[in-house]
Amino acid sequence: LMTAKSLASKETVNGRCWFYSDDDDGISVYLNRELHAMNTVVAQLQTQFQDYLVSLYQQGFLDNQFTELRKLQDEGTPDFVAEVVSLFFDDCSKLINSMSRSLERPENVDFKQVDSGVHQLKGSSSSVGARRVKNVCISFKECCDVQNREGCLRCLQQVDYEYKMLKTKLQDLFNLEKQIVQAGGAIPQHFPSYTILRPDIRPCLDA
Amino acid sequence: MVCEMETDQIEEMDVEVLSSMWPDDVGTQADNQFNVEKPAGDSDTLKEVDIAEKRTMADLKRLPELLNTTDQGSSQLTNLVRQWEYMQDHAVRLLREELKILTRQREEAEAKELKIIEEHNFETEEPENVPVLDETSHLFRRFRQKKRDELVDSKRVVIDEEFDTVAYWKQKALSLEKMLEASTERERRLIEKLNESLKTMESHSAPVEELTQNLKRAEGFLHFILQNAPIVMGHQDKDLRYLFIYNKFPSLREQDILGKTDVEIFHGGGVKESEDFKREVLEKGKASKREITFETELFGSKTFLIYVEPVYNKAREKIGINYMGMEVTDQVRKREKMAKLREDNAVRKAMESELTKTIHITEETMRAKQMLATMSHEIRSPLSGVVGMAEILSTTKLDKEQRQLLNVMISSGDLVLQLINDILDLSKVESGVMKLEATKFRPREVVKHVLQTAAASLKKDLTLEGNIADEVPILVVGDVLRIRQILTNLISNAIKFTHRGKVGIKLKVISEPSFASDKEQNETSVWICCDVYDTGIGIPENALPCLFKKYMQASADHARKYGGTGLGLAICKQLVELMGGQLTVTSQVNLGSTFTFILPYKVATSDDHSDDQDEFSDMVDHHQPEPDDTTEGYFQFKALHGSIYSNGGPVMGSNFLPHKAMLTSPIKLINGSVADPSNSSGQSQTVQVENGGYMDESESAHQYGNGNGHRCSSKESESCSSSQASSEMESELTVSSPREEEKTETEVKETSQQPKILLVEDNKINIMVAKSMMKQLGYTMDIANNGVEAINAVKDTSYDLVLMDVCMPVMDGLKATRLIRSYEESGNWDAAIEAGVDIKTSESEQGCERSTDRLPIVAMTANTLAESSEECYANGMDSFISKPVTLQKLKECLQQYLQ
């Protein structure tokens, strides 16, 4: 049989180290591209994204249901979370408007109307994992049950504040996401569950 | 010395009894007497003799005893005597010895004295002084002698007579006369002597003559030297005409030279130069040396070292030159040779050092390569571990996100592994370690399997075809693993760069190519040319040369677009060359490329199946051997687009890892229509189950394992029932996690009869989320926005499960549930109508006649006081899910109620 020696000697005469290729498409580029897909920009954005998300959990804006929501997002529905969340915010704004109208006149408050709105809001916020909104809703409902218009108004204000707050936060998050995608990176999917980080603390309300 | 003497004594004592210096009798007598009286030495002996017994009367009995003891005593006495004699002798001997020594010493002393005296005698003998006298001293001595004689003569005149008497005067006159006589006599003798000397003077002739002679000798010597010296010497006048010359060229006569110049005498190279040199010296007035090579007709080519010095007269005027020439041709030649040698040496040394450097570099290179190989190897083992563990991990219960991460991990690991394997392959080939194996194999099968494998992982709409010429032997011998590696590499390469059209392999037998070395050929060899062609993007001409280089791809763009290590082709080329073949490529941009490799194979004579059995045991269907497999010359495979086949799975054997299946995006499982004809109408005929990909892996893998997969997909007519496949899969599936089994079981059940689910929920967001979750779990569902809608939906369709929100506008979930239960009990919707529900009495009224099985209704509660679980149960709900709904909760619920 043929020996490999001849080949080896040929290579030796050539005298070049074969792996010191000048080729720009050499191994390093390849590795960079294929294996370390995240270049520094992407990596930075990803870190930023992660950190931001974590902070949202830690500050109680979001809870594990949001994680659930993110799990449902896949290639088929790449904007699922954003869609749901924007629907939620639209809902919020509509419901808050209607509730504030109901609570407008102090002598004739349709608490039933308000209650239904709060229930709706509570369900939605719970579904999307908007934890602070949900918590306010719980207090709101209690106020509603005892027909405490003052409390209701305060809660309404708070809900309004919270959902707008969350809206800006999530908008930032989605912007980051968009940037990562534009930079060619993948959105970090995995992050620890933060449910146990903070017990539910309801906003302090006057009795 | 003493010791020696003693031993001597003892010997002598034994051998002979020397006569003592004393009279024997006297000594012995005295000794004996003395001995008897005073037995000094041996008291023990005497004691023995002493009889301790009491003296008794002498009797006969006692007598012999006495006699006996007497005998003893006498014998002892004799012994004593003898002992004394010995001692005496001993003393005598000692004395004699002493005497002897003394005598000897005296003799020695005497001899010494004599010697000293003799020495002294020699010393006193004065050596004779032999003065070496030269002639002058001889003369001088003679003169001195004469003078002494004179002195002897001139003794004072002694006159005995009284002063101033006649006698005195007479006497004085007499003595004076005598003195005169003596003086005259002396004068005469002196004259004689003078004459004598004059005579000898004449006989000695003159010293001039002697000197002249000497001079002549010296001249002769000089002449001899000059004439025999190996140098030419000459004297030339101002005009450089020869006045004298020694050692002229033998064939020239003196008259040919004298009075002539060099130029006049000689012709040829160097003559002019020497003439000029001489003139230069003459002008400058300084002696100088020069080496000049002459090229004359007279004596050919000769080199002379010429020394020229100017000659001055007493007035310090230059009158000519002295010139000396020595032939140094040989020396010059030698010198030149030496120089050349030295030069050669230097060159050789330089080359040597260069070579050493090269060797060093080569060694370094080899070492570096070796290191890379070692490193790669070292990396490979742990990496295999990582990938393997990841694979195992992928069979465990994971959520989608984790699975995605894991898939990325596995694919990355796989890439690195591939890269490392490539590097190892390359370095193996380069270092000559790679060994080829000769196994029998069927080229047709190899081609078919390579294509099959490629088709299995094909994600493009491509046709793969194989075309094997009839003359290609059924069975050949070669390294099938390597050949398959090459084919697989080339095919996957072709597929990578081809987007439409076809990719194929063509085998044909060709005549022996020119590059083949004759040695390795024998009669049973056959050269097979293998074309791997595609209709892909092609390769620009300028990129062809670097195509087979390592890490090279046609262009940077390609590398970015298509990825890959750029090692594949390099390995292919090296493998082909290792096997004694050749790999070439032709290509046209946008039309396609053809990679051609030609390899020699030995034709296997016997159709022994055992050899290649192992090779293909993983692919060949043993249960259903295809009869035309061995001779079939054409195969075609189509991409299994959109089908359940998304991977090559275990088919690939060693070349591909089964976990590749994970890399594909969620696979659509089209199922049901053929398998379940009963469910052939309506929307549920084809149910799309979208899933995480992993679920289908085992199934598709199985179908490949079954060997029928391709047939099914390529020949549409042949039915391939998935249920059959599934059942077989269940029986054959060995490595599978509990979850997967459970999953697949669920799948099988559900695909045959997709469950119908109703979600009653008013919150749009909740609907959206729940729907998405259902989709992820592989279900679809209908939606009702409130209790009334729910009742209408339930009335029209038979649901397998209802998910009911509790708190809803129009009619809440509790009431709706109550009404549904009431219908189930009564068989009519009266209660609902009573409650004000607008029951749409549609044409499908017969829906009421359906079975009144209890419909599972699961409440979705917000977990508030108003929506307590007790209330739910009280209103006829079967279970509840607390909001917000999560995937896990939903899944558990579905598992519980959709069994």
Side-chain angles (χ1 to χ4, degrees):
Chain A
L1 272 172
M2 328 91 207
T3 55
K5 279 282 175 222
S6 59
L7 263 174
S9 65
K10 229 181 271 171
E11 195 62 34
T12 314
V13 170
N14 218 1
R16 269 182 65 86
C17 232
W18 54 267
F19 50 85
Y20 295 149
S21 174
D22 302 330
D23 182 14
D24 194 40
D25 303 319
I27 188 164
S28 59
V29 171
Y30 170 78
L31 285 176
N32 277 341
R33 186 166 41 73
E34 289 288 323
L35 298 175
H36 307 290
M38 336 171 171
N39 54 38
T40 46
V41 179
V42 172
Q44 256 173 10
L45 285 170
Q46 281 169 338
T47 316
Q48 210 179 330
F49 177 84
Q50 290 268 40
D51 291 348
Y52 195 66
L53 197 58
V54 168
S55 78
L56 290 183
Y57 280 94
Q58 281 173 342
Q59 290 164 23
F61 284 105
L62 299 172
D63 62 22
N64 221 23
Q65 186 65 17
F66 190 76
T67 318
E68 285 285 317
L69 220 58
R70 276 169 56 79
K71 278 188 205 164
L72 296 175
Q73 183 167 298
D74 58 17
E75 290 90 329
T77 53
D79 296 315
F80 177 74
V81 176
E83 272 170 32
V84 171
V85 165
S86 76
L87 197 69
F88 166 68
F89 289 133
D90 290 350
D91 222 25
C92 281
S93 116
K94 267 186 240 164
L95 286 168
I96 285 168
N97 275 339
S98 83
M99 283 190 288
S100 71
R101 264 199 307 277
S102 303
L103 288 165
E104 231 168 24
R105 288 153 293 160
E107 66 284 357
N108 187 19
V109 177
D110 187 358
F111 279 105
K112 208 171 176 202
Q113 183 85 24
V114 177
D115 190 61
S116 124
V118 173
H119 177 77
Q120 194 84 344
L121 204 57
K122 187 170 145 272
S124 308
S125 59
S126 152
S127 251
V128 298
R131 185 177 176 180
R132 282 197 190 191
V133 177
K134 187 187 81 183
N135 287 347
V136 177
C137 283
I138 291 164
S139 306
F140 200 169
K141 202 154 189 333
E142 281 167 5
C143 293
C144 221
D145 288 345
V146 295
Q147 307 215 332
N148 177 359
R149 181 175 166 267
E150 296 277 311
C152 283
L153 278 173
R154 215 176 304 128
C155 284
L156 189 70
Q157 252 179 350
Q158 212 160 353
V159 160
D160 190 49
Y161 169 79
E162 286 295 356
Y163 103 80
K164 278 174 179 160
M165 187 82 163
L166 183 66
K167 194 173 175 179
T168 29
K169 297 264 178 195
L170 286 181
Q171 257 163 6
D172 290 347
L173 191 75
F174 292 138
N175 279 340
L176 264 177
E177 219 173 81
K178 216 175 279 173
Q179 279 176 37
I180 291 171
V181 172
Q182 271 169 0
I187 293 146
Q189 286 297 314
H190 190 264
F191 41 83
S193 177
Y194 293 100
T195 41
I196 48 145
L197 279 178
R198 234 170 113 111
D200 274 4
I201 300 165
R202 293 184 191 178
C204 224
L205 291 172
D206 296 344
Chain B
M1 183 82 171
V2 179
C3 181
E4 213 175 281
M5 274 167 63
E6 274 171 2
T7 51
D8 283 352
Q9 269 170 243
I10 290 156
E11 273 168 24
E12 279 161 4
M13 184 173 73
D14 291 338
V15 174
E16 55 179 317
V17 181
L18 288 173
S19 55
S20 134
M21 58 203 286
W22 315 109
D24 275 2
D25 48 345
V26 179
T28 339
Q29 221 172 8
D31 281 348
N32 285 349
Q33 279 168 357
F34 176 72
N35 209 4
V36 173
E37 279 172 6
K38 215 177 183 182
D42 224 333
S43 54
D44 289 342
T45 355
L46 285 177
K47 264 180 196 165
E48 275 177 37
V49 178
D50 236 15
I51 299 145
E53 281 179 57
K54 277 184 274 176
R55 289 187 187 268
T56 49
M57 289 263 287
D59 54 1
L60 281 172
K61 201 180 166 192
R62 191 77 187 160
L63 197 64
E65 273 184 30
L66 281 172
L67 274 172
N68 206 6
T69 40
T70 317
D71 279 346
Q72 268 184 7
S74 60
S75 76
Q76 273 173 358
L77 266 175
T78 328
N79 273 337
L80 279 171
V81 168
R82 206 171 289 149
Q83 204 176 347
W84 271 107
E85 271 173 4
Y86 277 134
M87 282 173 77
Q88 206 60 40
D89 280 349
H90 184 79
V92 168
R93 231 168 274 129
L94 267 176
L95 285 170
R96 283 168 69 91
E97 210 51 50
E98 203 83 16
L99 187 70
K100 226 189 219 170
I101 289 162
L102 279 173
T103 319
R104 205 188 299 152
Q105 276 175 351
R106 189 175 49 87
E107 272 169 12
E108 270 173 15
E110 271 172 9
K112 215 166 188 178
E113 201 189 348
L114 206 70
K115 207 172 159 194
I116 288 165
I117 289 164
E118 269 171 27
E119 274 170 10
H120 198 63
N121 280 349
F122 277 125
E123 272 170 20
T124 49
E125 231 176 69
E126 270 184 81
E128 251 175 278
N129 215 349
V130 187
V132 183
L133 301 168
D134 49 9
E135 282 174 82
T136 47
S137 63
H138 180 65
L139 272 169
F140 179 69
R141 208 162 55 175
R142 267 205 318 219
F143 177 72
R144 262 199 341 207
Q145 190 68 39
K146 273 175 195 163
K147 238 185 155 179
R148 209 183 294 148
D149 293 344
E150 236 172 12
L151 273 170
V152 171
D153 287 340
S154 63
K155 52 195 171 190
R156 208 162 329 139
V157 184
V158 184
I159 296 153
D160 309 326
E161 292 301 316
E162 200 181 328
F163 186 67
D164 218 7
T165 61
V166 177
Y168 170 79
W169 288 114
K170 246 177 150 170
Q171 221 171 350
K172 190 162 183 175
L174 265 170
S175 64
L176 282 172
E177 202 177 346
K178 270 180 199 166
M179 277 173 75
L180 187 69
E181 264 172 38
S183 177
T184 318
E185 176 62 27
R186 205 157 58 225
E187 197 185 329
R188 194 186 49 80
R189 260 166 36 200
L190 276 170
I191 288 163
E192 251 172 53
K193 210 102 179 169
L194 198 67
N195 282 337
E196 211 178 301
S197 334
L198 271 172
K199 259 178 217 163
T200 50
M201 260 306 228
E202 269 163 25
S203 75
H204 272 147
S205 82
V208 181
E209 222 170 292
E210 208 177 314
L211 280 173
T212 317
Q213 247 175 2
N214 273 348
L215 217 58
K216 262 188 188 157
R217 276 169 68 186
E219 200 190 349
F221 168 71
L222 208 62
H223 208 74
F224 172 81
I225 296 284
L226 285 175
Q227 272 183 338
N228 290 287
I231 48 174
V232 184
M233 277 171 280
H235 177 72
Q236 287 164 296
D237 65 8
K238 269 200 291 194
D239 302 324
L240 298 177
R241 288 180 189 284
Y242 280 97
L243 294 181
F244 316 108
I245 186 152
Y246 280 101
N247 296 326
K248 60 191 184 337
F249 193 73
S251 69
L252 291 172
R253 287 162 302 164
E254 229 158 65
Q255 55 265 39
D256 292 334
I257 295 172
L258 296 181
K260 289 184 179 169
T261 63
D262 278 328
V263 188
E264 284 165 357
I265 304 161
F266 304 106
H267 302 280
V271 178
K272 186 82 182 35
E273 193 190 342
S274 79
E275 182 95 358
D276 288 346
F277 174 56
K278 285 169 182 171
R279 192 154 284 137
E280 200 186 308
V281 169
L282 195 62
E283 277 162 19
K284 281 192 178 166
K286 269 186 178 171
S288 180
K289 276 189 275 189
R290 184 172 292 184
E291 209 174 86
I292 293 166
T293 304
F294 291 94
E295 280 280 351
T296 62
E297 299 142 22
L298 202 60
F299 49 79
S301 174
K302 275 193 156 67
T303 306
F304 284 85
L305 177 66
I306 291 169
Y307 171 74
V308 182
E309 60 179 11
V311 177
Y312 302 91
N313 63 7
K314 281 186 178 154
R316 303 298 299 162
E317 289 165 333
K318 288 172 222 165
I319 54 163
I321 54 147
N322 282 336
Y323 127 83
M324 254 175 259
M326 182 184 257
E327 199 209 316
V328 288
T329 313
D330 287 348
Q331 284 83 346
V332 166
R333 206 170 290 152
K334 217 179 276 173
R335 195 181 60 204
E336 274 168 5
K337 261 187 206 160
M338 286 295 286
K340 197 149 184 272
L341 217 65
R342 236 169 276 147
E343 201 178 304
D344 285 355
N345 264 341
V347 168
R348 204 164 37 241
K349 243 175 218 168
M351 274 167 75
E352 255 168 40
S353 71
E354 192 72 15
L355 206 70
T356 324
K357 220 155 69 186
T358 314
I359 288 169
H360 184 69
I361 289 168
T362 313
E363 278 173 351
E364 282 294 304
T365 312
M366 292 305 281
R367 229 194 323 272
K369 274 184 198 175
Q370 190 52 51
M371 207 184 82
L372 186 70
T374 314
M375 250 170 56
S376 301
H377 183 76
E378 292 303 317
I379 293 166
R380 187 166 62 169
S381 318
L383 190 64
S384 306
V386 171
V387 173
M389 285 302 120
E391 275 174 54
I392 291 168
L393 191 62
S394 73
T395 63
T396 60
K397 194 171 178 180
L398 294 174
D399 61 27
K400 184 164 173 284
E401 180 191 337
Q402 286 169 331
R403 189 162 296 280
Q404 271 177 349
L405 291 171
L406 199 64
N407 286 347
V408 172
M409 185 173 150
I410 290 170
S411 65
S412 303
D414 208 25
L415 269 169
V416 179
L417 262 182
Q418 190 56 46
L419 188 70
I420 285 168
N421 282 338
D422 283 358
I423 290 171
L424 279 174
D425 267 3
L426 261 186
S427 50
K428 240 194 221 164
V429 174
E430 278 174 0
S431 58
V433 174
M434 185 166 278
K435 286 200 180 67
L436 295 172
E437 283 167 17
T439 41
K440 284 180 194 161
F441 68 97
R442 297 189 174 81
R444 283 171 186 77
E445 277 182 16
V446 171
V447 169
K448 186 181 171 189
H449 293 142
V450 166
L451 289 174
Q452 238 173 15
T453 310
S457 53
L458 197 59
K459 291 193 204 77
K460 295 172 182 172
D461 193 12
L462 292 178
T463 306
L464 304 186
E465 54 182 31
N467 209 335
I468 291 114
D470 294 338
E471 72 268 20
V472 173
I474 305 285
L475 203 61
V476 296
V477 176
D479 191 334
V480 66
L481 274 182
R482 301 293 164 213
I483 289 162
R484 217 158 62 181
Q485 190 181 352
I486 295 163
L487 271 176
T488 309
N489 251 331
L490 292 177
I491 278 288
S492 60
N493 206 47
I495 289 171
K496 190 154 88 179
F497 294 105
T498 306
H499 303 297
R500 70 186 71 81
K502 55 189 177 181
V503 168
I505 301 175
K506 208 183 283 171
L507 282 194
K508 58 177 186 279
V509 172
I510 55 160
S511 57
E512 189 185 317
S514 53
F515 67 82
S517 53
D518 305 315
K519 276 179 270 175
E520 288 164 12
Q521 297 310 306
N522 52 45
E523 310 79 52
T524 54
S525 260
V526 62
W527 286 82
I528 296 177
C529 168
C530 179
D531 288 328
V532 178
Y533 55 92
D534 63 62
T535 56
I537 58 169
I539 304 154
E541 196 140 337
N542 57 1
L544 286 177
C546 64
L547 203 64
F548 296 112
K549 285 186 186 154
K550 287 150 225 140
Y551 303 117
M552 290 286 213
Q553 289 190 331
S555 79
D557 284 343
H558 287 130
R560 263 184 284 286
K561 196 169 169 190
Y562 297 104
T565 60
L567 282 174
L569 284 177
I571 292 171
C572 284
K573 190 176 169 66
Q574 297 219 331
L575 283 176
V576 168
E577 281 170 5
L578 188 66
M579 291 189 273
Q582 208 172 44
L583 175 62
T584 51
V585 61
T586 54
S587 183
Q588 266 186 294
V589 174
N590 295 327
L591 287 176
S593 318
T594 303
F595 287 84
T596 306
F597 67 91
I598 36 184
L599 282 178
Y601 304 88
K602 281 198 199 100
V603 180
T605 43
S606 73
D607 196 330
D608 183 11
H609 214 272
S610 65
D611 223 14
D612 58 338
Q613 196 74 41
D614 293 340
E615 295 294 333
F616 307 124
S617 57
D618 52 342
M619 325 183 171
V620 174
D621 191 343
H622 296 292
H623 309 295
Q624 295 172 286
E626 290 157 277
D628 56 346
D629 210 29
T630 49
T631 49
E632 201 176 16
Y634 183 78
F635 322 105
Q636 194 180 43
F637 299 98
K638 279 233 164 57
L640 308 162
H641 209 61
S643 78
I644 55 171
Y645 309 111
S646 57
N647 68 87
V651 183
M652 284 310 294
S654 60
N655 284 6
F656 282 78
L657 294 163
H659 63 64
K660 283 255 161 97
M662 309 292 180
L663 309 183
T664 55
S665 54
I667 307 154
K668 287 178 178 172
L669 177 67
I670 302 172
N671 216 333
S673 58
V674 187
D676 191 4
S678 63
N679 196 9
S680 58
S681 63
Q683 55 183 14
S684 62
Q685 182 195 355
T686 303
V687 183
Q688 280 199 349
V689 180
E690 292 202 13
N691 226 323
Y694 50 87
M695 270 163 49
D696 305 320
E697 177 199 346
S698 53
E699 197 165 54
S700 54
H702 156 73
Q703 294 213 349
Y704 276 102
N706 195 28
N708 280 329
H710 289 290
R711 233 153 243 274
C712 294
S713 54
S714 55
K715 298 171 188 171
E716 294 290 325
S717 59
E718 209 172 319
S719 91
C720 178
S721 119
S722 66
S723 61
Q724 176 202 338
S726 305
S727 61
E728 278 180 26
M729 173 223 21
E730 274 167 15
S731 59
E732 285 180 25
L733 202 66
T734 49
V735 185
S736 162
S737 71
R739 179 180 182 247
E740 249 176 327
E741 278 171 0
E742 169 197 286
K743 266 271 171 193
T744 23
E745 278 165 27
T746 318
E747 212 65 48
V748 171
K749 186 177 169 134
E750 280 162 11
T751 46
S752 57
Q753 197 174 356
Q754 179 70 16
K756 295 184 67 67
I757 302 162
L758 178 69
L759 173 70
V760 189
E761 170 65 271
D762 62 330
N763 192 314
K764 278 177 284 175
I765 290 145
N766 291 356
I767 292 169
M768 203 169 171
V769 172
K771 220 175 172 176
S772 178
M773 285 175 177
M774 277 295 184
K775 192 173 154 200
Q776 188 136 86
L777 289 173
Y779 299 96
T780 53
M781 58 187 185
D782 296 340
I783 310 295
N785 284 316
N786 53 50
V788 176
E789 280 184 39
I791 288 168
N792 274 315
V794 168
K795 184 171 72 74
D796 291 340
T797 320
S798 60
Y799 287 101
D800 297 302
L801 177 68
V802 176
L803 298 172
M804 185 84 76
D805 188 14
V806 174
C807 203
M808 281 181 294
V810 187
M811 180 189 283
D812 65 22
L814 300 173
K815 192 170 181 183
T817 307
R818 272 205 311 276
L819 292 172
I820 290 168
R821 294 290 179 231
S822 142
Y823 159 74
E824 278 172 359
E825 280 156 22
S826 64
N828 59 63
W829 289 100
D830 293 348
I833 292 159
E834 271 173 42
V837 178
D838 181 21
I839 298 290
K840 290 161 193 146
T841 45
S842 59
E843 288 76 32
S844 58
E845 194 67 40
Q846 60 266 43
C848 298
E849 289 158 21
R850 67 176 191 83
S851 66
T852 51
D853 284 350
R854 187 179 164 93
L855 172 64
I857 299 174
V858 175
M860 304 210 290
T861 69
N863 230 358
T864 56
L865 284 172
E867 300 171 6
S868 68
S869 51
E870 287 89 337
E871 210 176 344
C872 292
Y873 292 129
N875 283 286
M877 286 168 167
D878 297 297
S879 177
F880 70 95
I881 301 173
S882 63
K883 281 186 181 177
V885 178
T886 63
L887 214 56
Q888 190 58 32
K889 288 181 201 165
L890 204 58
K891 208 169 88 188
E892 280 164 11
C893 170
L894 293 178
Q895 272 169 11
Q896 189 182 345
Y897 290 100
L898 293 178
Q899 286 298 323

